[in-house]
């Protein structure tokens, strides 16, 4: 115990785990970060970061045999030959789909922060107030004003590009210069605003350095080059990741120890002391079991794995999982509904084009059920759209030479694409549990996933497709198509809940500072902590909640309230 003793343990090194490590280390705590995947160092371990398609054996395609072996991960938008080393293959960590669920994972130091989509919008007051107002899930124990200073704190360090739009439904933040809409996007924005008055599309907010400040240069990061090769790992540090930002900041303090290849089995509950004292770890390579101890433990293994660890953390005091007297651990899992997309043609502007590969789209904050319940479904959806020109290289049946080159260098007509990001309602029947029979390669019970859409999701999807078609029509888009992908939950990679925050230990696992009601030195600040999903991308909220929770935990340690 003496050789494995730390002030703090952080489980997971992704977006929230990296922030927990940085904040704990900078506050003087000797901190152990446990990562179940391999070591990945910034720059050194990005093997394809500057590769051209012809440098790769399959020209950046996944061979058919590999697709057939890995149907789940192969459905992920970011999975290709240049990124597959950052993704978990289907059989590497098996799980049980009692209902179809695509669990996309990235096990390495940095986690999914290397392969995330980098969209970062604050929640509004309406999102935190929604469950209590509309009578679903439980009341959030915090409000926007509680987290707003922490949004600002993390935004300044991360580097978020965006405009100051003055929208009540999408609060402004600490922004770097925004990316620019192209000419057709501006025209569509203008026509929709004229048609509706209250539907204001704005440029996306994303974790990309458009104009680095001193705080970013000090991290060794540089300006985003708009290469659209982010999922390979960025050699410029142009987008935020744990590897390029928070973990190096933690390491600079001299207080950080990272142990990769460490699969966390469970949290240790000491019956005599009546507290959590550490974690059990199985070495990913040798299967050797080890225990590590600390005064405070942060669980940031990503939503479903954090649920798995807590469900597996059984003891005489907690036979059904750590802190689970209420029986709700693993329940009320929610996610984002991405099933609906639309598109069409836009005539004109053939003499205009655009430059670079912008890392964000145009977005419209939710306009359904914002201030009161007004539809026949709960909550709503954020809408994203973009416009572009295709047709490059599409000319056929021409002899080689100047005519062929000229025909294939002409861009085609403008098209518009629109997609939804819908809020799903946490339900007790959407849950994860441990298999009583099947184990993973490290002897840990496999996770069983029972998560599905419901009638509310179908109504919300229908409304998006109807409203999207109406908006595009009013904007002058023609040849409109509508599509329901019918994709399984999970492919959104925004799973949340199971260890939700709340005000009452009978209906929640965590308090307003992400602290377990019944294990006060254990904190959960990844997606598992979320009480509801909102309609925005969740990562900046995870970061803000983490920084806030660490600040609280360290103050409580100093006061002697956490021992």
């Amino acid at each position: 115990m003496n050789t494995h003793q730390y002030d703090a343990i952080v489980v997971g090194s992704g977006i929230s785990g990296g922030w927990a490590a940085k904040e704990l280390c900078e506050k003087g705590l000797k901190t152990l970060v446990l990562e179940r995947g391999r070591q990945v160092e910034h720059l050194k371990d990005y093997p394809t970061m500057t590769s051209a398609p012809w440098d790769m054996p399959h020209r950046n395609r996944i061979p058919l045999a590999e697709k057939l072996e890995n149907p789940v991960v192969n459905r992920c938008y970011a999975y290709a030959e240049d990124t597959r080393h950052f993704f978990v293959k289907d059989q590497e960590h098996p799980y049980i789909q009692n209902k179809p669920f695509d669990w996309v994972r990235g096990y390495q130091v940095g986690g999914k922060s290397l392969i995330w989509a980098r969209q970062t919008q604050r929640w509004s007051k309406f999102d935190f107030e929604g469950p209590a107002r509309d009578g679903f899930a439980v009341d959030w124990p915090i409000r926007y004003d509680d987290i707003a200073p922490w949004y600002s704190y993390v935004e300044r360090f991360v580097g978020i590009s965006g405009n100051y739009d003055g929208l009540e439904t999408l609060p402004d933040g600490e922004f770097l210069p925004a990316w620019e809409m192209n000419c057709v996007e501006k025209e569509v924005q203008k026509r929709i605003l004229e048609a509706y008055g209250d539907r204001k599309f704005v440029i996306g907010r994303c974790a990309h350095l458009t104009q680095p400040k001193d705080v970013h240069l000090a991290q060794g990061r540089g300006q985003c080059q708009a290469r659209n090769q982010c999922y390979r790992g960025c050699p410029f540090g142009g987008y935020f990741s744990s590897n390029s930002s928070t973990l190096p900041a933690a390491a600079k303090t001299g207080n950080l120890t990272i142990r990769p290849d460490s699969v966390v089995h469970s949290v240790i509950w000491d019956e005599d002391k009546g507290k959590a004292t550490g974690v059990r770890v199985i070495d990913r390579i040798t299967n050797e079991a080890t225990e590590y101890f600390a005064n405070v433990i942060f669980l940031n293994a990503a939503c479903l794995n954090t649920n798995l660890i807590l469900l597996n953390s059984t003891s005489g005091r907690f036979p059904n999982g750590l802190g689970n007297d209420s029986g709700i651990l693993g329940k009320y899992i929610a996610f984002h509904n991405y099933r609906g997309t639309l598109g069409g043609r836009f005539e004109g502007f053939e003499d205009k084009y655009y430059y670079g590969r912008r890392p964000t789209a145009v977005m419209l904050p939710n306009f359904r059920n914002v201030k009161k319940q007004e539809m026949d479904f709960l909550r709503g959806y954020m809408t994203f759209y973009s416009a572009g020109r295709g047709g490059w290289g599409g000319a056929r049946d021409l002899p080689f030479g100047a005519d062929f080159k000229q025909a294939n260098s002409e861009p085609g007509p403008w098209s518009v694409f629109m997609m939804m990001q819908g809020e799903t309602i946490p339900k007790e029947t959407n849950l994860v549990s441990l298999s009583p029979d099947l184990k993973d390669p490290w002897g840990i019970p496999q996770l069983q996933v029972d998560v599905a859409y419901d009638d509310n999701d179908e109504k919300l999807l229908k409304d998006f497709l109807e409203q999207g078609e109406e908006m595009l029509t009013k904007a002058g888009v023609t040849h409109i198509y509508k599509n329901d992908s019918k994709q399984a939950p999970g492919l959104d990679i925004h799973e949340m809940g199971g260890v939700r925050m709340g005000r009452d230990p009978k209906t929640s696992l965590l308090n307003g500072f992400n602290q377990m009601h019944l294990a006060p030195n254990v904190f959960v600040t990844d997606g598992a902590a979320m009480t509801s999903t909102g309609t925005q991308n969740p990562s900046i909220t995870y970061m803000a909640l983490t920084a806030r929770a660490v600040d609280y935990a360290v103050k409580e340690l100093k006061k002697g309230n956490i021992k």
Side-chain angles (χ1 to χ4, degrees):
M1 188 168 183
N2 290 334
T3 58
H4 288 167
Q5 181 71 44
Y6 295 85
D7 297 323
I9 291 173
V10 177
V11 179
S13 62
I15 281 174
S16 62
W19 263 100
K22 170 188 175 296
E23 294 299 297
L24 289 163
C25 287
E26 290 183 344
K27 293 180 185 298
L29 277 67
K30 296 294 184 182
T31 302
L32 172 67
V33 173
L34 296 168
E35 168 55 54
R36 69 179 295 149
R38 63 188 176 91
Q39 175 67 280
V40 170
E41 293 182 27
H42 183 53
L43 298 179
K44 175 184 174 184
D45 295 313
Y46 303 159
T48 61
M49 63 184 178
T50 58
S51 299
W54 50 86
D55 294 326
M56 289 172 264
H58 305 99
R59 305 300 188 264
N60 207 25
R61 303 288 184 177
I62 298 294
L64 178 59
E66 189 175 329
K67 285 185 178 182
L68 297 175
E69 290 172 1
N70 300 283
V72 171
V73 70
N74 191 69
R75 285 192 279 271
C76 177
Y77 62 89
Y79 183 70
E81 188 174 23
D82 59 344
T83 61
R84 60 184 176 181
H85 47 281
F86 289 147
F87 286 87
V88 175
K89 310 306 183 292
D90 290 12
Q91 298 308 312
E92 290 176 350
H93 185 200
Y95 66 102
I96 300 163
Q97 300 182 57
N98 288 341
K99 297 169 185 172
F101 187 92
D102 292 334
W103 189 11
V104 178
R105 292 152 288 171
Y107 293 164
Q108 60 265 325
V109 170
K112 294 196 296 290
S113 78
L114 290 170
I115 48 178
W116 67 309
R118 308 166 308 283
Q119 305 308 297
T120 46
Q121 312 101 24
R122 293 188 181 199
W123 280 32
S124 74
K125 65 180 183 180
F126 305 110
D127 299 293
F128 290 103
E129 296 167 0
R133 188 198 72 187
D134 295 337
F136 68 93
V138 295
D139 186 18
W140 274 89
I142 62 173
R143 291 295 186 262
Y144 176 75
D145 288 345
D146 296 312
I147 196 173
W150 296 100
Y151 275 136
S152 294
Y153 178 76
V154 300
E155 284 165 348
R156 286 191 290 267
F157 191 82
V158 169
I160 307 297
S161 64
N163 279 324
Y164 295 92
D165 299 302
L167 300 179
E168 192 178 21
T169 49
L170 198 68
D172 292 327
E174 309 289 333
F175 293 146
L176 302 175
W179 297 89
E180 188 175 358
M181 298 184 202
N182 63 43
C183 57
V184 169
E185 290 166 344
K186 290 177 181 177
E187 185 66 18
V188 170
Q189 175 200 42
K190 173 175 168 287
R191 294 181 184 182
I192 290 177
L193 187 60
E194 288 173 349
Y196 294 92
D198 61 346
R199 297 189 188 181
K200 184 177 179 181
F201 279 92
V202 300
I203 193 65
R205 292 140 184 205
C206 58
H208 284 256
L209 300 181
T210 51
Q211 187 176 306
K213 294 188 175 181
D214 289 344
V215 64
H216 309 120
L217 298 175
Q219 298 171 39
R221 299 169 61 198
Q223 184 172 340
C224 173
Q225 303 296 301
R227 302 189 314 150
N228 193 28
Q229 295 176 353
C230 310
Y231 309 117
R232 302 176 174 191
C234 180
F236 306 96
Y239 75 84
F240 170 83
S241 70
S242 295
N243 305 62
S244 66
S245 186
T246 46
L247 291 178
K252 285 181 181 178
T253 67
N255 292 324
L256 176 67
T257 300
I258 298 180
R259 190 184 193 278
D261 302 313
S262 300
V263 180
V264 173
H265 172 280
S266 55
V267 177
I268 301 167
W269 180 263
D270 189 305
E271 302 283 358
D272 295 329
K273 295 181 179 179
K275 61 177 287 188
T277 54
V279 297
R280 293 187 182 90
V281 169
I282 309 298
D283 188 282
R284 182 177 68 90
I285 298 170
T286 68
N287 270 25
E288 179 184 359
T290 312
E291 295 181 347
Y292 295 91
F293 305 91
N295 296 324
V296 63
I297 300 164
F298 270 72
L299 295 180
N300 301 92
C303 176
L304 297 193
N305 270 324
T306 289
N307 276 275
L308 192 162
I309 291 168
L310 289 172
L311 286 165
N312 201 42
S313 300
T314 57
S315 61
R317 170 64 184 86
F318 295 113
N320 299 313
L322 184 65
N324 192 28
D325 285 2
S326 63
I328 66 166
L329 177 62
K331 298 178 180 178
Y332 299 98
I333 301 293
F335 53 96
H336 274 147
N337 182 349
Y338 275 102
R339 282 168 49 187
T341 58
L342 305 99
R345 292 270 299 271
F346 194 89
E347 303 298 333
F349 294 91
E350 278 82 9
D351 60 336
K352 300 288 194 303
Y353 201 67
Y354 44 90
Y355 174 78
R357 299 172 178 88
R358 191 185 66 204
T360 191
V362 185
M363 60 186 187
L364 173 66
N366 176 41
F367 56 87
R368 291 301 200 204
N369 302 319
V370 175
K371 297 182 178 181
K372 63 179 181 178
Q373 179 62 40
E374 54 195 0
M375 305 300 295
D376 65 345
F377 55 84
L378 287 168
R379 311 308 292 157
Y381 46 85
M382 176 171 270
T383 304
F384 296 88
Y385 87 87
S386 58
R389 300 187 72 175
W392 297 97
R396 299 289 186 269
D397 301 322
L398 292 169
F400 284 108
D403 291 342
F404 180 87
K405 291 166 67 176
Q406 181 63 32
N408 278 283
S409 65
E410 290 295 328
W414 286 90
S415 63
V416 175
F417 174 80
M418 183 176 281
M419 60 176 283
M420 69 181 295
Q421 184 168 277
E423 181 168 357
T424 64
I425 305 305
K427 305 191 300 290
E428 188 173 12
T429 52
N430 275 351
L431 58 89
V432 294
S433 58
L434 300 184
S435 169
D437 307 310
L438 297 177
K439 307 283 188 180
D440 68 17
W442 303 277
I444 299 170
Q446 289 188 26
L447 195 69
Q448 299 180 133
V449 185
D450 288 90
V451 175
Y453 298 102
D454 64 9
D455 185 57
N456 196 77
D457 300 317
E458 300 297 335
K459 289 179 178 178
L460 188 145
L461 168 66
K462 180 175 181 289
D463 188 74
F464 165 76
L465 292 173
E466 290 174 351
Q467 291 298 304
E469 182 178 31
E470 182 180 289
M471 285 189 287
L472 291 181
T473 299
K474 290 180 182 297
V477 178
T478 62
H479 301 85
I480 295 174
Y481 65 86
K482 297 187 290 184
N483 181 58
D484 174 5
S485 70
K486 301 188 184 299
Q487 65 189 51
L491 198 57
D492 49 284
I493 325 181
H494 285 182
E495 55 267 21
M496 298 176 235
V499 196
R500 69 185 181 188
M501 299 170 70
R503 301 180 185 274
D504 185 347
K506 294 179 181 178
T507 57
S508 62
L509 278 296
L510 309 174
N511 67 15
F513 288 96
N514 297 78
Q515 179 184 34
M516 294 201 78
H517 292 302
L518 303 181
N521 65 329
V522 178
F523 292 76
V524 177
T525 63
D526 60 13
M530 301 293 277
T531 305
S532 59
T533 72
T535 58
Q536 295 88 326
N537 296 66
S539 295
I540 197 72
T541 300
Y542 301 165
M543 296 186 227
L545 288 173
T546 301
R548 180 174 179 268
V550 170
D551 182 72
Y552 173 81
V554 173
K555 288 176 179 175
E556 290 295 287
L557 281 168
K558 291 179 178 178
K559 292 176 184 176
N561 295 333
I562 296 177
K563 299 179 180 179

